[in-house]
Every structure is written in structure tokens, then in C-alpha cells.
Amino acid sequence: MTLFNLFRRGSAPVARERLQILLAHERVARSQPDLLGLLREEILAVISRHVAFEPDKVQIKMDRGRSVSTLEVEIEIPNAPGFSLAKAS
Amino acid sequence: MAQVLVVTSGKGGVGKTTSTAALGAALAQNGDKVVVIDFDVGLRNLDLVMGAERRVVFDLINVINGVAKLPQALIRDKRLENLHLLPASQTRDKDALTEDGVAKVIEELKGKFDWIICDSPAGIERGATLAMRHADSAIIVTNPEVSSVRDSDRIIGLLDSKTVKAERGDRIDKHLLITRYSAGRAARGEMLTIEDVLEILSTPLLGIIPESEEVLRASNIGTPVTLANALSAPARAYFDAAARLRGEQIPMVVPSEGRGLFNKLFGRKAA
């Protein structure tokens, strides 16, 4: 939405849309254990079985959308000998 | 049969204490016996809004600890003899509130009053969960604003899972009270509308309190708005909400921005 539209329509419709998406996710999250934490733990456990990485070089991003959400896991793996992805696979 | 109400919201500053005082005074003016309880240990304010701040001797925690008997701690309103206040402690730790202690106090109050109104602190910690714990029904105070609506949704989740009624498998009655509503700003698309909030929270509406300088004036002078200026727009909205709590069918009036005939004739004072 352009700035012009925002002024013309008022910001309330944006507030309404953001709340609807947010609360749809929060209501689901309430009824189940910490899904994001669980995913993070299990994904990292699987990867660490095959490659070594530093826990603080892991970035996890979540983008919640109305119909689709994305979970982005970025792990920095050092290219030292005996330590790389190529070797591990 | 006594009704236990909790006035709650999650977010602070949305009008829980103001609404507790206004609804308590409205119900008492109808002749019902009403007690309002402040659960905000350490940050009590209901005494101030009710104009009883200089008469507090004992508080809820004193009663729970057995330092004072319940009748010693109850403060009778100077204007309405059937309206009472049970203040919170200003000095104690909030951990001094115990579940058993609160249960006993509420049980004892049930024998003396028609309405027990618990003014919840903001947040979702001990004071807030104990304020809602024994409620038969809840008033969720919401401003038409994103953070308030989100927190209300969270509180509704807690009401449906953490109250005694919910744990027994019963459904706690929930009522939405929208406060600080500005019809003009909603019409211009600057503020969430009543329909937006109702659709998002899917909770029945108890009332719409318009944004008004009368609410600030009432707390300045330490008088619930339903006593300070009973003809003002917010007071009338609170009286309607109180009547709905009693089970009366009152048509919902969405406050309008335009000044009515009464206001035009008598000027701003009546606004």
C-alpha cells in the first residue's frame, strides 16, 4: 500500500488486517507447545549429527502470513577441512 | 445469588479501574449491594478513583493474613451506602496474595453483597490471574487500538482456561466493554470500528464508552463518572452497561460525534 493510499483510506484497515493475521497465529500457538522452539531444536539436532557448527551462528527467522508462513533457518558452517558440507554429505 | 465479576484487559491504561468504579456506582445506584476489590497489589488506585484514598486502614492482604477482619477492611462509600471498597495493599509484595486466601475472602463477600467486582491489575501475572480466578463473568475492557485488542485476545484465552469455572468445564460469561471510542476517528478510518473489534475478538458487547473529558474530570475529583455527572455521555453508557449486566435488554447506542440537542442547548458542560 502506498503512502497516499494510507492517508486516503486511514490506517484502521491496516490495523484490522494485521490483527487478524497475528491473532490467527497466536490462537493456534496457545493451544500447542512452543512449536518454533521445538522445530528449532529438532532441525538443529538433525544437522549437528552430520556437520559441526557454532550454535551462535544459527539464525532463525519466521514470517507469518495470512495463508502461508515461512521458516528460514540459516546456519553458518565453517569450510575447514573435515568440517565442510561436502565432506559430510 | 452474588455475582462475581472481573474487570480485566491485559494491557494497562485502558480504563479498568475507571470502569470498575463507574459500573460499581451504577449498580449501587439501582439499589444493589456492591463491593469493588482492588487486586493491584503495590499499585493500588481504585481507592483514589473512588475518592476513598484517605480512609484506607486495612486492605485485602491484611484480611488474607488474618491481621484484620473483613468488615474492618471494607470502606463504605460516602455517597452510596450500599457501595463498598476493599483496597489493595500499597506496601506488600504481590506474592502475599494466595489462592486460598482470595477464595475465602470472596466466599465471605458472597454472603453480604449482590455484586463482587474484582478490578484486575494489568498483565497476566499473579494479581491478574487471581482477580479472574473465581469470577462468574468477565468484563474485558478494550480500546479500539492494536495492542489493546491483542492483549484482550490473550486475556480471553486465560479466562477460558485458568478460571475455576473453566477448569470445571463451565463457560465463563465474557463481555466486551469498548472504552475511549471516538466515532469521528472511526468514521474517518483512523480508528478500528466497533464492528472490527467485535469481529476480531468474537465476544458479546456490553457497552461502548465514548472518549470524554468527563472521565478524566471524574477521576480528578475522586468520584465515579456515574456519580460525578450522571447525564454525561460516558456515564449514560456505563448505566446502560450496568443494566445489561442485570439482564435488561437495552439497545446498543454507538456514540456519535455530533453534539445532540441537549448539548447544543446547554453547551459543553453536558458533553
Side-chain angles (χ1 to χ4, degrees):
Chain A
M1 180 180 289
T2 66
L3 208 58
F4 175 73
N5 273 335
L6 201 70
F7 278 116
R8 199 176 47 127
R9 284 182 53 203
S11 52
V14 183
R16 177 195 156 96
E17 166 105 6
R18 288 177 59 220
L19 272 171
Q20 281 175 330
I21 295 172
L22 173 70
L23 294 182
H25 285 282
E26 285 191 346
R27 285 170 189 157
V28 174
R30 234 185 262 148
S31 55
Q32 58 190 30
D34 176 17
L35 180 64
L36 199 58
L38 202 70
L39 281 175
R40 179 183 184 276
E41 237 170 71
E42 292 191 6
I43 290 171
L44 293 186
V46 167
I47 297 173
S48 66
R49 245 185 271 149
H50 303 286
V51 288
F53 58 86
E54 301 222 9
D56 57 353
K57 301 282 179 168
V58 177
Q59 284 207 33
I60 298 183
K61 288 179 195 163
M62 180 74 161
D63 192 359
R64 299 179 181 90
R66 189 179 274 284
S67 51
V68 176
S69 300
T70 57
L71 178 69
E72 201 181 308
V73 183
E74 192 183 309
I75 306 173
E76 200 177 294
I77 297 164
N79 279 334
F83 216 63
S84 69
L85 259 187
K87 177 111 183 191
S89 61
Chain B
M1 183 67 194
Q3 273 283 315
V4 183
L5 285 175
V6 60
V7 178
T8 185
S9 70
K11 190 175 184 299
V14 296
K16 285 181 295 296
T17 300
T18 305
S19 297
T20 300
L23 289 171
L27 289 165
Q29 283 177 73
N30 194 54
D32 292 347
K33 282 182 273 180
V34 180
V35 61
V36 291
I37 313 178
D38 193 344
F39 273 81
D40 205 344
V41 176
L43 289 171
R44 74 167 174 230
N45 274 316
L46 188 55
D47 56 332
L48 194 55
V49 169
M50 305 271 297
E53 71 277 10
R54 289 189 293 178
R55 297 198 287 140
V56 176
V57 182
F58 295 115
D59 56 55
L60 174 59
I61 286 175
N62 292 145
V63 177
I64 288 175
N65 290 344
V67 172
K69 296 268 181 239
L70 185 58
Q72 295 176 298
L74 288 173
I75 301 172
R76 173 178 284 199
D77 188 87
K78 282 196 165 161
R79 299 142 299 206
L80 290 168
E81 63 167 18
N82 49 341
L83 176 61
H84 288 74
L85 163 70
L86 182 54
S89 168
Q90 183 70 324
T91 52
R92 302 297 177 104
D93 192 306
K94 63 177 183 298
D95 293 338
L97 276 184
T98 61
E99 178 162 354
D100 282 354
V102 171
K104 276 184 196 142
V105 170
I106 292 198
E107 206 47 49
E108 195 177 342
L109 289 169
K110 277 185 181 174
K112 300 173 191 284
F113 293 95
D114 301 311
W115 298 92
I116 299 162
I117 311 181
C118 305
D119 183 21
S120 173
I124 53 171
E125 288 178 45
R126 192 181 189 84
T129 51
L130 281 178
M132 69 170 65
R133 185 81 189 133
H134 304 278
D136 299 308
S137 49
I139 297 172
I140 301 127
V141 182
T142 307
N143 291 166
E145 177 273 328
V146 286
S147 52
S148 174
V149 173
R150 179 199 207 170
D151 290 358
S152 293
D153 192 72
R154 184 82 198 278
I155 282 291
I156 288 168
L158 291 179
L159 287 166
D160 286 334
S161 59
K162 302 284 186 207
T163 52
V164 171
K165 220 174 168 185
E167 285 174 2
R168 278 203 311 251
D170 292 341
R171 186 167 275 267
I172 184 165
D173 287 323
K174 298 181 296 283
H175 313 271
L176 202 64
L177 185 68
I178 299 180
T179 55
R180 309 201 68 169
Y181 181 72
S182 162
R185 297 177 70 191
R188 289 192 295 274
E190 297 164 10
M191 181 183 262
L192 290 169
T193 64
I194 301 294
E195 294 73 33
D196 288 340
V197 178
L198 292 181
E199 192 192 323
I200 293 168
L201 294 177
S202 12
T203 299
L205 184 61
L206 180 69
I208 308 160
I209 313 300
E211 170 87 63
S212 166
E213 61 196 34
E214 282 302 319
V215 174
L216 178 61
R217 191 181 153 265
S219 65
N220 282 346
I221 63 174
T223 307
V225 72
T226 43
L227 274 173
N229 185 351
L231 293 177
S232 65
R236 279 181 284 139
Y238 278 121
F239 278 116
D240 283 355
R244 289 184 196 108
L245 284 175
R246 288 194 303 267
E248 292 176 30
Q249 298 290 321
I250 308 273
M252 191 68 66
V253 181
V254 179
S256 66
E257 195 81 336
R259 293 166 69 189
L261 180 65
F262 185 83
N263 291 351
K264 279 179 188 153
L265 289 175
F266 295 101
R268 287 178 56 87
K269 276 208 167 138

